[in-house]
Amino acid sequence: MKRIILITIALLAMATVQAQRFEIQGIVQDSTSKELLQSATVFLESKKDSTLISYSITDEQGVFKLVGNTGVEEFNFFTSFTGYKEFTKAINFKDGRTIDLGTISLSSDVEFLEGIVVKARKAPITVKQDTLEFNAKSFNTKADANLEDVIKELPGVEIDKDGKITVNGKEVTKILVNGKEFFGNDPQVALKNLPKEIIDKIQVTESKTEEQKANGEAGDANASEINITIDEDKNKGWFSRLTAGAGTDDRYSASGIVNYFKDTFRVSVLGSTNNINSPGFSFDEIYDAMGNSAYSISRSSNGSFGINGVSFGGSGGITSSRSAGLSLANDWDEKVELSASYFYGNNDTETATDNRTTTFLPDREFTTTSSSRGRNMGDSHRLNSRVEVKLDTLTTISIEPSYTQSSSNNVSNRIANTLDDAGQEIDVTTSSNSDSDNYNAGVNLYVSRRFKKKGNSVSLYTTVNTNNSESLNDFFSERIISDNGTMTSTQIQNQVINQDSKGTGFSFSPRWRKSLNEDYGLNVAYRISANHNEQNRNVFDRDVTTGEPTIFNAGLSNDFETDNTQHRPSLGLVYSKDKFRWEVTAGLLYQTLNTSNALLDSSFDRSFSNPYLRAYLSKQIGKFSSIYLNYSNNINVPSINQLQPVENSTNPQNIVTGNPNLEATNTHNLYLNYNNYNWEENKGFYSGAGFTYTDNQVVGITLTNPDLIRNTTYTNVDGTYNGYLYSGYSMKFQKDKRSISLSAGLDGNLSLDKGFSNGIAFETNNLNISPNLGFEYEIDDIFELETEYNIDFNSSKFSLENFEDQKFVNHRASIDLTTFWPKNLTLGLRGEYNVFGNVTEEFDNDSFVMIGSLGYKFAKDKAVVKLTAYDILNQVIDTRRTVAQDFISDSSSLVLRQYFMLSFTYKFSKFGGKDPNKN
């Protein structure tokens, strides 16, 4: 089978590579001053149907090169630059496929300079300072394409199966529509639901903070954001999409979204209900009725999904969910901007997990086999809004209120058996019924005032937040201890646990920016933050006679308060010239921690003082390459649970007690990224590495008594670290409507962990190496094939002699096939094979998962009827192994299994003007 696949790939690649290759080069200059023009756009179109063949921009020397493969012979060549008249030339390849156009002189466009609007051909790509702008209509997609389909066609852009977007190796952190958020900052809703016919331009720029936007400064060179501009003709109208489906095993799914645009006003409404672990409004053309778990079947696949804090699904479970959302945005007189969104989520998740855990001690080992069942039901509400007011051209005020509220009921039952090599045995039965209510409210305020001199400004950023969490848990456990088959004791824990946690906090950060000259600037900043937290835990034992929770258990209760303040003055020097930027900021981190325990009548005060340092460097190298380097350090204060000296015995086999003498954790972080993507030739390379070194890391220290009960507290250790590496290379061969894409990547992780086994210190060295290969073949509007192979090499070595080192290899291979022929018929098949080398024989260690769909479009592509099949071979599993410092755990969990579903989708839309994407 492998030979057939390799031969097929080779034949397809040869057919494409052997296509006739062309190369066109030249230089662009100003006709009057003879100045060489950098970032002028050059592109080539088919003379017959205006199909885009190739495009590029000029470098610092005004030089350009167009390369590609095509069977077309006659073309129109275009050169354009803002403020200049467009240059056009007819080209015929009959005289040769290597052409030197020499020097092209562009003359000033007088009408443009005088503000007269002139209709001209839109270039496929335009460079405007730090923004890369794509014209959506220049990129061929299927007739009913959405934003995701268009973005996939852009050079250097990749979207993985989890929806993560990268541009030349840099992650896209948000997608904006006309400069405003679309359902918060999650890009998935915009990707799946904005139709191509309303999109005018796609602008890619560096991710920027509010301060950087207000001051016109450069942003984060290692992160990007995308802004979608709506065509003016299409900015008045509405579009919607509704889907309903029913399937076997009582599976169902229904969802819809409605969007209305009118100039600067936009409102969107969405809703869904289903029991297939799906968010319900992703609207994937092929697999939308299958649930998010269809996208990745692996040892940790769980079908979960989250948008703006509203989660759907969960680890190893089946979820029935309902959701609704509202998003709106509007401008008033270009001085006031408003955006707001609301989400409601309701979920009912059923879970079941079987587990086998072996714990290693310096003198012995013991194994725990357990089975747990649970059900979690909850509601959540999330409200976000943002108001920006421009008092004048130099002063901006931004306010961002937010509110989140949730409530849940969690019922769980667990049976566990623990046995050591000396015959000691413990059987534990636990049950829990917990109700909880939580809320979090906050507001961010940003005020900026720029001065007339460029680079000079003052700003203030402040945050205020409050949160509260209440829970009531009816808890029961029975522990039976036996020695070589003879029961020696029985312990029962029958309690009601009432917990109430409250927190308030604020931060205040003024900043003064001073321009020293055209290249250098000075930043003076001061940040103060304060947080107050209260945790009240009351445990009541049930009376043996009445069964009522009337006996207060002071030993397991606490009334704990913490106050944490941080002061961070800093001074920074900034350099920025052309495509080279760096900044060095130094200061002092001074932190205080005050705690008190009312029940124990105890308190302690701590203070921590460390230097603060942050530095970054970024440089654009030529037209295609860039490098980014960043260093920072930080202080993290231990959590309340780690500090409070009170027993927590809700897990009868592991009793946890905090340590009030813990030190704050110090981390040093170093990050490096390099990318080089030549979009002229559709090939490129990216690589990055990070390293974190930690002192005073908080770790658990556990002592296991003869009854196999673990007593855990916390301590600090020095010298742990974690390093990672990622890299990838991709190339694309294209000839007219056919294309082949090849990719290869290598990821790695190296870490040193320190811990304790029965009080004895030990170290663990972990190494992971994961190479991957990918192949894609596409014929526009007819056929798409994607294959991927990934292998994971894992190794864990322990310093204690009786700890067995772990080495295992995992494999994953996948294939995706989509056909769009005959017309109006879409067939999708996805297969994925997994082999888990780190799972014991008691659990399934491999699976071959196949999913598919067959859809038919009619009513002018507005309607789709579709049959979908999830887990055709009935082999989906959720099997995983966890390797920790002193234990190895294998588990198998309940997952969504095979079903078939018939669904119907209908699209409604009405816009003003004509379709901007028709040639």
Side-chain angles (χ1 to χ4, degrees), residues 16-261:
T16 301
V17 173
Q18 290 176 356
Q20 292 176 303
R21 178 179 171 85
F22 68 85
E23 181 175 314
I24 303 173
Q25 62 183 12
I27 299 174
V28 181
Q29 67 176 14
D30 183 289
S31 61
T32 304
S33 66
K34 307 304 179 184
E35 178 185 358
L36 300 176
L37 299 180
Q38 181 181 354
S39 300
T41 303
V42 293
F43 57 103
L44 196 66
E45 290 185 352
S46 167
K47 187 175 182 180
K48 179 180 180 180
D49 55 11
S50 298
T51 299
L52 179 67
I53 303 298
S54 182
Y55 59 91
S56 183
I57 60 173
T58 56
D59 61 17
E60 295 91 336
Q61 304 301 319
V63 176
F64 69 86
K65 182 172 65 173
L66 293 174
V67 295
N69 295 279
T70 182
V72 180
E73 296 290 337
E74 295 182 332
F75 305 88
N76 288 321
F77 170 85
F78 298 91
T79 302
S80 63
F81 193 71
T82 304
Y84 290 81
K85 289 183 178 180
E86 185 178 73
F87 173 85
T88 305
K89 181 180 178 63
I91 293 179
N92 194 315
F93 281 165
K94 291 181 179 180
D95 299 328
R97 289 184 165 263
T98 301
I99 300 174
D100 188 348
L101 296 178
T103 301
I104 300 173
S105 298
L106 299 185
S107 58
S108 298
D109 191 336
V110 178
E111 292 177 325
F112 174 85
L113 296 175
E114 292 178 352
I116 301 174
V117 177
V118 179
K119 290 185 177 181
R121 181 178 298 274
K122 293 182 178 179
I125 183 172
T126 306
V127 177
K128 297 180 177 180
Q129 295 180 344
D130 60 350
T131 300
L132 194 61
E133 184 177 274
F134 299 95
N135 178 29
K137 77 172 184 179
S138 297
F139 299 89
N140 291 327
T141 58
K142 56 187 179 182
D144 58 342
N146 57 22
L147 174 60
E148 182 176 21
D149 297 318
V150 182
I151 287 182
K152 285 181 177 179
E153 299 299 319
L154 303 182
V157 179
E158 294 182 1
I159 303 178
D160 65 17
K161 291 181 180 180
D162 296 323
K164 178 183 175 182
I165 311 170
T166 56
V167 179
N168 296 336
K170 297 188 293 185
E171 183 176 358
V172 173
T173 55
K174 65 173 64 176
I175 290 182
L176 307 176
V177 178
N178 284 343
K180 299 178 183 62
E181 292 183 350
F182 188 70
F183 277 105
N185 58 7
D186 189 281
Q188 294 301 305
V189 181
L191 274 179
K192 301 291 187 181
N193 293 286
L194 288 179
K196 180 185 177 182
E197 61 261 28
I198 73 169
I199 301 171
D200 183 22
K201 296 181 178 66
I202 301 173
Q203 300 168 335
V204 181
T205 186
E206 295 175 342
S207 182
K208 295 184 178 182
T209 63
E210 294 296 328
E211 185 174 20
Q212 290 167 337
K213 291 178 181 179
N215 294 322
E217 299 172 355
D220 184 352
N222 197 48
S224 299
E225 64 182 39
I226 292 177
N227 180 49
I228 307 302
T229 65
I230 305 300
D231 189 273
E232 292 182 4
D233 288 338
K234 298 293 180 179
N235 213 16
K236 296 180 180 179
W238 61 277
F239 64 93
S240 62
R241 201 164 190 176
L242 304 175
T243 295
T248 58
D249 297 328
D250 297 322
R251 300 299 172 198
Y252 64 88
S253 178
S255 56
I257 185 168
V258 179
N259 302 270
Y260 174 75
F261 293 80

Side-chain angles (χ1 to χ4, degrees), residues 25 49 87 114 244 588 654 658 687 701 737 760 821 858 870:
Q25 62 183 12
D49 55 11
F87 173 85
E114 292 178 352
L588 177 69
N654 187 25
S687 183
I701 178 170
K737 293 188 175 184
I760 299 177
W821 183 90
F858 57 98
Y870 177 68

Side-chain angles (χ1 to χ4, degrees), residues 77 130 180 236 336 358 379 411 425 445 495 507 512 548 574 654 678 780 851 882 889:
F77 170 85
D130 60 350
K180 299 178 183 62
K236 296 180 180 179
V336 180
T358 300
D379 294 278
V411 178
E425 185 174 8
L445 172 66
Q495 303 169 330
S507 66
W512 174 53
E548 296 297 322
V574 183
N654 187 25
N678 184 335
D780 288 350
I851 59 180
T882 302
S889 178

Side-chain angles (χ1 to χ4, degrees), residues 211 457-459 509-514 521-527 568-574 583 585-586:
E211 185 174 20
S457 67
V458 292
S459 63
S509 307
R511 179 186 294 268
W512 174 53
R513 305 178 69 91
K514 170 68 175 177
L522 190 68
N523 289 337
V524 180
Y526 191 96
R527 184 181 188 274
R568 193 185 70 194
S570 63
L571 179 66
L573 182 64
V574 183
E583 179 178 353
T585 301

Side-chain angles (χ1 to χ4, degrees), residues 465-469 501-505 532-534:
N465 65 79
T466 180
N467 62 80
N468 185 70
S469 176
S501 300
K502 299 178 181 179
T504 57
H532 175 77
N533 293 282
E534 302 176 13

